[in-house]
Amino acid sequence: MRHTWILASCAALTAALPASAMADSPGYPKDPTVVLYDVDPTWPQRPDTVAKFGWVSGMALDDQEQIWLFNKGEDPVQVYQTDGTFVKTWGKGMFQDPHQLRIDHDGNIWVADFGQHIVQKFTPDGDLLMTLGVRGEKGDDETHFFRPTDMAIAANGDVFVTDGYGNRRIVHLDSEGNYIKSWGEYGSEPGQFVLPHAIVINNEGTLFVADRNSGRIQLFNTDGEVLDVWSNQIMPWGLDLNTDGSLWVCGSSPHWWYRNGEYLEFKDQILMRFNPDGRVVQNYGLPFAEEGSSIPGETRGAHCMVQDSQGNLYIGDIYTERAQKFVRVTSAE
């Protein structure tokens, strides 16, 4: 009887709608209500004289809207304009395991090389200014790192390093590279880490840490106090702060990193944007690339990302060994 009542009610509702209204109303919104992207298969325009990418694990946007890429190929630092035009490259033979690249408030280039256990600061032309850690030596003290993954540079020049693949801590140094403090240990409680993989800092001094393998983004103040924990939203691989204060995250949907005797890095590829309070304001899925695929728009190991002023997205991928531009769609034509 209940099913009969529901069917009768639906029929009555449909009959009450004017036939013209039903016929004239399309099945999609007149004005788009979601954000869509198309891949630009021509980006970037790498010259034949520049080596192909290896893993593209680091990415940053400078104040000229140039895209800096850090990769495991023979030309590890490559710079392109948003239209794909090649700008320059440097770093040949300088790195072992490039992981992440950031740009500080003065335009200096910072890189994390987990294979050499160091973080380095360069001029935009590749002149070395500072080395943090001891090259080739791993450790868990005031002068050593153990496979560091990323670094965030505060407005006053202080540096916060995710000492993540070997140690599970955040290391705080001053602008001259002097050790101030560190915090963190292995665990699943707030303030503990499984793998601190990426870090950024906003203008208010809030640190966002991607604890990748636990599926958490942890927020700290610069004293190392836990402010919040965002969990069960995404397995966060890479972080990028927008000028409006929102946070882009690339990764995969939540899963257990180890189950039934097997390790699972990812099961899909997604992008999420959070407002400063942790509310998800945008979610976008990327087609998953099967092993060996090079189809434009697909990703397999989305590791880093940035957004330009036009709302276009740039994704660095480790397993397809490429960087891609996703153009924000503004017209249905």
Short mmCIF file of all heavy atoms in Angstrom, two decimals, residues 161-187:
data_model
loop_
_atom_site.label_atom_id
_atom_site.label_comp_id
_atom_site.label_asym_id
_atom_site.label_seq_id
_atom_site.Cartn_x
_atom_site.Cartn_y
_atom_site.Cartn_z
N VAL A 161 60.71 22.61 8.54
CA VAL A 161 61.01 21.48 7.67
C VAL A 161 60.23 20.25 8.12
O VAL A 161 60.24 19.91 9.31
CB VAL A 161 62.53 21.16 7.68
CG1 VAL A 161 62.82 19.94 6.81
CG2 VAL A 161 63.33 22.37 7.20
N THR A 162 59.55 19.59 7.17
CA THR A 162 58.98 18.29 7.47
C THR A 162 60.09 17.26 7.26
O THR A 162 60.46 16.93 6.14
CB THR A 162 57.78 17.97 6.55
OG1 THR A 162 58.10 18.32 5.20
CG2 THR A 162 56.54 18.72 6.98
N ASP A 163 60.60 16.77 8.38
CA ASP A 163 61.66 15.77 8.36
C ASP A 163 60.95 14.42 8.38
O ASP A 163 60.83 13.77 9.41
CB ASP A 163 62.55 15.96 9.60
CG ASP A 163 63.86 15.20 9.51
OD1 ASP A 163 64.22 14.77 8.40
OD2 ASP A 163 64.52 15.06 10.56
N GLY A 164 60.49 14.00 7.16
CA GLY A 164 59.36 13.11 7.12
C GLY A 164 59.55 11.67 6.73
O GLY A 164 58.86 10.80 7.25
N TYR A 165 60.45 11.35 5.80
CA TYR A 165 60.55 9.96 5.34
C TYR A 165 61.31 9.09 6.34
O TYR A 165 61.04 7.90 6.46
CB TYR A 165 61.23 9.89 3.97
CG TYR A 165 60.32 10.14 2.81
CD1 TYR A 165 60.71 10.97 1.76
CD2 TYR A 165 59.07 9.54 2.73
CE1 TYR A 165 59.88 11.20 0.68
CE2 TYR A 165 58.24 9.76 1.65
CZ TYR A 165 58.65 10.58 0.63
OH TYR A 165 57.82 10.81 -0.45
N GLY A 166 62.30 9.67 7.02
CA GLY A 166 63.06 8.91 8.01
C GLY A 166 62.63 9.24 9.42
O GLY A 166 62.26 8.35 10.19
N ASN A 167 62.68 10.53 9.77
CA ASN A 167 62.13 10.97 11.05
C ASN A 167 60.67 11.35 10.87
O ASN A 167 60.19 11.47 9.75
CB ASN A 167 62.92 12.18 11.57
CG ASN A 167 64.37 11.83 11.85
OD1 ASN A 167 64.68 10.76 12.36
ND2 ASN A 167 65.28 12.75 11.52
N ARG A 168 60.00 11.57 11.95
CA ARG A 168 58.58 11.99 11.90
C ARG A 168 58.44 13.21 12.80
O ARG A 168 57.88 13.14 13.89
CB ARG A 168 57.67 10.84 12.33
CG ARG A 168 57.71 9.64 11.38
CD ARG A 168 56.89 8.49 11.91
NE ARG A 168 56.71 7.43 10.93
CZ ARG A 168 57.41 6.29 10.91
NH1 ARG A 168 58.35 6.09 11.82
NH2 ARG A 168 57.18 5.37 10.00
N ARG A 169 58.95 14.33 12.30
CA ARG A 169 58.97 15.53 13.12
C ARG A 169 58.97 16.76 12.23
O ARG A 169 59.22 16.70 11.02
CB ARG A 169 60.22 15.56 14.00
CG ARG A 169 61.53 15.59 13.20
CD ARG A 169 62.76 15.73 14.09
NE ARG A 169 63.98 15.81 13.28
CZ ARG A 169 65.16 16.23 13.72
NH1 ARG A 169 65.29 16.62 14.99
NH2 ARG A 169 66.21 16.27 12.92
N ILE A 170 58.67 17.91 12.85
CA ILE A 170 58.82 19.23 12.24
C ILE A 170 60.01 19.89 12.90
O ILE A 170 60.11 19.92 14.13
CB ILE A 170 57.56 20.10 12.45
CG1 ILE A 170 56.30 19.36 12.01
CG2 ILE A 170 57.72 21.43 11.71
CD1 ILE A 170 56.26 18.99 10.56
N VAL A 171 60.93 20.42 12.09
CA VAL A 171 62.11 21.10 12.62
C VAL A 171 61.99 22.59 12.32
O VAL A 171 61.74 22.99 11.17
CB VAL A 171 63.41 20.55 12.00
CG1 VAL A 171 64.62 21.27 12.58
CG2 VAL A 171 63.51 19.04 12.24
N HIS A 172 62.16 23.41 13.35
CA HIS A 172 62.04 24.87 13.24
C HIS A 172 63.43 25.48 13.35
O HIS A 172 64.15 25.25 14.33
CB HIS A 172 61.12 25.37 14.37
CG HIS A 172 60.94 26.85 14.41
ND1 HIS A 172 60.34 27.50 15.47
CD2 HIS A 172 61.25 27.83 13.51
CE1 HIS A 172 60.29 28.80 15.24
NE2 HIS A 172 60.85 29.02 14.05
N LEU A 173 63.82 26.26 12.32
CA LEU A 173 65.11 26.95 12.30
C LEU A 173 64.88 28.43 12.04
O LEU A 173 63.87 28.82 11.45
CB LEU A 173 66.03 26.35 11.23
CG LEU A 173 66.23 24.83 11.27
CD1 LEU A 173 65.39 24.18 10.18
CD2 LEU A 173 67.69 24.45 11.11
N ASP A 174 65.84 29.26 12.42
CA ASP A 174 65.70 30.68 12.13
C ASP A 174 66.21 30.98 10.73
O ASP A 174 66.63 30.08 9.99
CB ASP A 174 66.40 31.54 13.20
CG ASP A 174 67.93 31.42 13.19
OD1 ASP A 174 68.51 30.93 12.19
OD2 ASP A 174 68.55 31.81 14.19
N SER A 175 66.18 32.26 10.35
CA SER A 175 66.52 32.65 8.98
C SER A 175 67.98 32.39 8.62
O SER A 175 68.34 32.35 7.44
CB SER A 175 66.19 34.13 8.76
OG SER A 175 66.94 34.94 9.66
N GLU A 176 68.83 32.20 9.65
CA GLU A 176 70.24 31.90 9.42
C GLU A 176 70.52 30.40 9.45
O GLU A 176 71.67 29.98 9.31
CB GLU A 176 71.11 32.61 10.47
CG GLU A 176 70.95 34.13 10.47
CD GLU A 176 71.35 34.75 9.15
OE1 GLU A 176 72.38 34.29 8.58
OE2 GLU A 176 70.65 35.66 8.68
N GLY A 177 69.47 29.62 9.65
CA GLY A 177 69.64 28.17 9.68
C GLY A 177 69.95 27.60 11.05
O GLY A 177 70.29 26.42 11.17
N ASN A 178 69.83 28.41 12.09
CA ASN A 178 70.10 27.94 13.45
C ASN A 178 68.88 27.20 14.01
O ASN A 178 67.75 27.66 13.88
CB ASN A 178 70.44 29.12 14.36
CG ASN A 178 71.66 29.88 13.88
OD1 ASN A 178 72.72 29.29 13.67
ND2 ASN A 178 71.52 31.18 13.68
N TYR A 179 69.13 26.08 14.63
CA TYR A 179 68.07 25.25 15.19
C TYR A 179 67.36 25.97 16.33
O TYR A 179 68.00 26.58 17.21
CB TYR A 179 68.68 23.94 15.71
CG TYR A 179 67.70 23.01 16.39
CD1 TYR A 179 66.99 22.07 15.66
CD2 TYR A 179 67.52 23.06 17.77
CE1 TYR A 179 66.11 21.19 16.29
CE2 TYR A 179 66.65 22.19 18.40
CZ TYR A 179 65.94 21.26 17.66
OH TYR A 179 65.07 20.40 18.29
N ILE A 180 66.03 25.93 16.32
CA ILE A 180 65.23 26.51 17.40
C ILE A 180 64.56 25.39 18.20
O ILE A 180 64.70 25.32 19.42
CB ILE A 180 64.18 27.49 16.85
CG1 ILE A 180 64.87 28.69 16.18
CG2 ILE A 180 63.24 27.96 17.97
CD1 ILE A 180 63.91 29.68 15.54
N LYS A 181 63.84 24.50 17.51
CA LYS A 181 63.14 23.42 18.20
C LYS A 181 62.65 22.41 17.17
O LYS A 181 62.74 22.64 15.95
CB LYS A 181 61.95 23.95 19.01
CG LYS A 181 60.83 24.56 18.16
CD LYS A 181 59.68 25.03 19.02
CE LYS A 181 58.53 25.61 18.20
NZ LYS A 181 58.92 26.82 17.48
N SER A 182 62.09 21.32 17.65
CA SER A 182 61.41 20.35 16.80
C SER A 182 60.30 19.71 17.61
O SER A 182 60.31 19.74 18.84
CB SER A 182 62.40 19.29 16.27
OG SER A 182 62.93 18.53 17.34
N TRP A 183 59.33 19.15 16.90
CA TRP A 183 58.27 18.44 17.57
C TRP A 183 57.73 17.33 16.67
O TRP A 183 57.88 17.39 15.45
CB TRP A 183 57.14 19.37 18.01
CG TRP A 183 56.29 19.93 16.89
CD1 TRP A 183 55.16 19.37 16.35
CD2 TRP A 183 56.47 21.18 16.21
NE1 TRP A 183 54.63 20.19 15.37
CE2 TRP A 183 55.40 21.30 15.26
CE3 TRP A 183 57.41 22.21 16.29
CZ2 TRP A 183 55.28 22.40 14.41
CZ3 TRP A 183 57.27 23.30 15.45
CH2 TRP A 183 56.23 23.39 14.53
N GLY A 184 57.12 16.34 17.31
CA GLY A 184 56.52 15.24 16.57
C GLY A 184 57.21 13.91 16.82
O GLY A 184 58.40 13.85 17.11
N GLU A 185 56.44 12.85 16.72
CA GLU A 185 56.92 11.49 16.84
C GLU A 185 55.92 10.58 16.13
O GLU A 185 54.85 11.03 15.73
CB GLU A 185 57.03 11.08 18.31
CG GLU A 185 55.69 11.17 19.04
CD GLU A 185 55.80 10.83 20.51
OE1 GLU A 185 56.92 10.47 20.95
OE2 GLU A 185 54.79 10.92 21.22
N TYR A 186 56.26 9.30 15.97
CA TYR A 186 55.37 8.37 15.29
C TYR A 186 54.11 8.16 16.13
O TYR A 186 54.17 7.94 17.34
CB TYR A 186 56.07 7.03 15.06
CG TYR A 186 55.14 5.98 14.48
CD1 TYR A 186 54.71 6.08 13.16
CD2 TYR A 186 54.69 4.93 15.25
CE1 TYR A 186 53.85 5.14 12.62
CE2 TYR A 186 53.84 3.97 14.72
CZ TYR A 186 53.42 4.08 13.40
OH TYR A 186 52.57 3.15 12.88
N GLY A 187 52.93 8.23 15.48
CA GLY A 187 51.68 7.96 16.17
C GLY A 187 50.51 8.57 15.44
O GLY A 187 50.67 9.29 14.45
#
